[in-house]
Amino acid sequence: MESTIPSSFSPSAEAVRSRAIDWRLGIPTYVYAVVFASLCIVWGLLWDIMWHISIGRDGLFAPPHLVMYVGAVVSGLFSGYQILSMTFQKKHPERAGSVRFWGVFYGSLGALYCVWGAMAMLTSAPFDDWWHNTYGLDVQILTPPHTVLVLGMMMVQFGAMIGVLALQNRTRSQTLTNDLDQRRASRLKLLFGIAAGLLLTVLYVLLSENMGKWLMHNSLCYTTAAIAFPIYLLAVGRASMLKNPITIITAVYMITLLLPNWILPLFSATPKLGPVYNPITTYQAFSFPLLLIVPAFALDQLMKRYKGNDWILAGLAAVVFMVLFLAVQWPFGEFLHTSPYARNWFFLSNAWSYDSPPDWKYRYEFHPGLLEPTAVFAKNFAFAILYAAISARIGLWWGNWMKRVVR
């Protein structure tokens, strides 16, 4: 029976290929895949944390773990395929600009990081299961299996960021002559901002025990922030080609952290590990993000306007970051920890783990043992500014290196 559909309605192979190019804008599929994998890792990690404070003990194939494994598998397979295709296709268009390793293989720098990170993540899974069966529940976060897992996660995420970065940097010296080139450049800028924001989220999660709302009137919070954030924010800010890169990257961090913290508490959860002091019935949120977006905006303006010596820029950035971070985080920390207006679905301060007594005296008060005399806090904060200046200078150097990555 002959078809009654006009031939003009049947998409040709060339039309299908054209639509694929229009969607991908000439960006390799593995780049989208590894950025997606990075998102899976972040949300799987956040779900895992909320699982532990809401349900308790989990197994090797618990849903949060599966989400993280998806991230590892996707990044490993797509990056591995990119490496193998470059290795065995001697006329591969990207081979000449790739990295050669072990004398045999060729691939982009980002793909190499992703493969190594994926292998570390997948290796840590049975190792962690054996560890629990042998030694019982974890009494600390950084057990050997968790250390391998965290290193693998961050390597995958760093690989995703570097993979986008190399393509973005190739457009720095190019003249964008047509609409497709301009759209491709804009897409790469955005993908880099997303990848950098996802890695910032994991960095915060790893340091969150030192920066919880109960510590926002303690110098430990600000010292930790001074060491960890300037180095990263100034590095990605210098490497990015976005208009306000640090602001956008911290906005991605906030959104990435808030979405699962807002959505998961809408679902039921029952503790399955004793003792249960707080009989919860829904998932408990993890944490409201730090207000990094405020000093981030100021850092963007500073980096736009000051074009002098990087040592001076690092000192200025340290002062700007620390003063503004203190100015917004100190009162916001008090609001989160003590105000009844923060005890809701939006600000998350009503969250409380199943193994913590709900009537604990300092649940909504600052513990006196964590409050410092003004002179002690001022001295420690001054040292924090010094640490931030060193961190910022290393970040600027790192950012200069990232601007040169093209493979």
Side-chain angles (χ1 to χ4, degrees):
M1 180 177 181
E2 295 184 2
S3 173
T4 58
I5 300 176
S7 60
S8 59
F9 280 57
S10 302
S12 65
E14 185 63 32
V16 172
R17 190 181 305 110
S18 176
R19 284 198 293 270
I21 293 174
D22 184 64
W23 175 80
R24 291 189 293 115
L25 298 175
I27 300 171
T29 303
Y30 98 91
V31 171
Y32 293 102
V34 295
V35 173
F36 169 75
S38 181
L39 178 63
C40 289
I41 287 171
V42 177
W43 280 353
L45 175 63
L46 292 172
W47 188 4
D48 190 51
I49 292 171
M50 287 185 270
W51 181 288
H52 278 284
I53 63 178
S54 307
I55 297 175
R57 179 72 171 96
D58 52 10
L60 179 63
F61 297 108
H65 293 176
L66 293 177
V67 175
M68 288 190 279
Y69 300 157
V70 166
V73 170
V74 167
S75 64
L77 288 179
F78 278 86
S79 299
Y81 177 80
Q82 193 242 26
I83 292 171
L84 293 176
S85 64
M86 282 191 187
T87 299
F88 294 108
Q89 295 181 35
K90 294 185 178 180
K91 295 183 180 180
H92 194 288
E94 300 290 331
R95 179 166 174 160
S98 64
V99 177
R100 186 180 182 184
F101 65 104
W102 292 350
V104 177
F105 296 99
Y106 293 83
S108 69
L109 189 61
L112 296 179
Y113 279 118
C114 285
V115 168
W116 294 334
M119 290 174 63
M121 286 184 65
L122 295 175
T123 300
S124 74
F127 184 23
D128 187 51
D129 193 55
W130 170 84
W131 185 273
H132 283 300
N133 292 333
T134 305
Y135 299 105
L137 298 180
D138 297 323
V139 295
Q140 56 185 4
I141 293 177
L142 290 181
T143 61
H146 288 179
T147 301
V148 174
L149 174 63
V150 167
L151 290 175
M153 288 166 51
M154 298 190 76
M155 193 172 290
V156 167
Q157 293 189 292
F158 184 68
M161 192 171 74
I162 292 296
V164 179
L165 183 67
L167 296 175
Q168 174 202 262
N169 287 347
R170 295 178 196 176
T171 68
R172 288 185 186 272
S173 58
Q174 294 177 356
T175 302
L176 307 179
T177 57
N178 56 58
D179 179 62
L180 183 63
D181 287 342
Q182 292 173 358
R183 289 166 58 201
R184 182 174 186 269
S186 298
R187 178 75 60 84
L188 289 170
K189 294 176 190 178
L190 180 60
L191 285 172
F192 178 77
I194 293 172
L198 295 174
L199 181 52
L200 176 61
T201 307
V202 169
L203 178 63
Y204 163 72
V205 171
L206 295 179
L207 301 172
S208 59
E209 287 189 345
N210 288 349
M211 293 184 289
K213 60 187 178 182
W214 55 90
L215 282 170
M216 289 178 187
H217 285 187
N218 186 285
S219 61
L220 177 62
C221 172
Y222 301 94
T223 301
T224 303
I227 295 171
F229 294 132
I231 183 174
Y232 184 77
L233 295 179
L234 291 181
V236 295
R238 174 153 285 186
S240 176
M241 295 173 64
L242 290 165
K243 186 176 181 180
N244 290 293
I246 308 178
T247 306
I248 292 172
I249 287 165
T250 51
V252 171
Y253 145 76
M254 293 190 72
I255 294 169
T256 303
L257 190 61
L258 282 171
L259 283 178
N261 275 284
W262 282 339
I263 294 172
L264 280 177
L266 301 176
F267 294 87
S268 60
T270 304
K272 295 182 179 179
L273 185 69
V276 178
Y277 296 118
N278 182 30
I280 59 174
T281 57
T282 60
Y283 273 99
Q284 300 300 289
F286 166 53
S287 174
F288 198 90
L290 300 172
L291 300 182
L292 293 175
I293 196 167
V294 176
F297 179 77
L299 289 177
D300 274 331
Q301 308 317 305
L302 175 63
M303 293 182 72
K304 284 180 187 178
R305 288 164 174 74
Y306 183 81
K307 302 299 181 182
N309 184 277
D310 275 356
W311 287 99
I312 297 175
L313 176 58
L316 293 173
V319 173
V320 167
F321 176 82
M322 292 306 300
V323 170
L324 286 178
F325 183 63
L326 175 66
V328 296
Q329 204 62 53
W330 181 284
F332 190 64
E334 182 165 1
F335 168 76
L336 286 179
H337 198 41
T338 65
S339 174
Y341 297 106
R343 301 167 200 170
N344 52 50
W345 167 84
F346 186 87
F347 289 109
L348 314 175
S349 289
N350 58 344
W352 200 244
S353 64
Y354 73 87
D355 57 351
S356 299
D359 56 351
W360 185 51
K361 180 179 180 180
Y362 299 110
R363 179 176 177 180
Y364 297 119
E365 297 179 25
F366 284 104
H367 196 293
L370 299 177
L371 299 176
E372 300 167 309
T374 303
V376 173
F377 181 88
K379 182 188 74 171
N380 292 339
F381 189 78
F383 276 108
I385 293 177
L386 176 62
Y387 304 148
I390 298 171
S391 176
R393 184 62 189 91
I394 297 172
L396 291 171
W397 171 81
W398 184 19
N400 289 334
W401 172 81
M402 287 203 289
K403 287 174 68 174
R404 299 192 296 270
V405 173
V406 293
R407 296 195 293 173

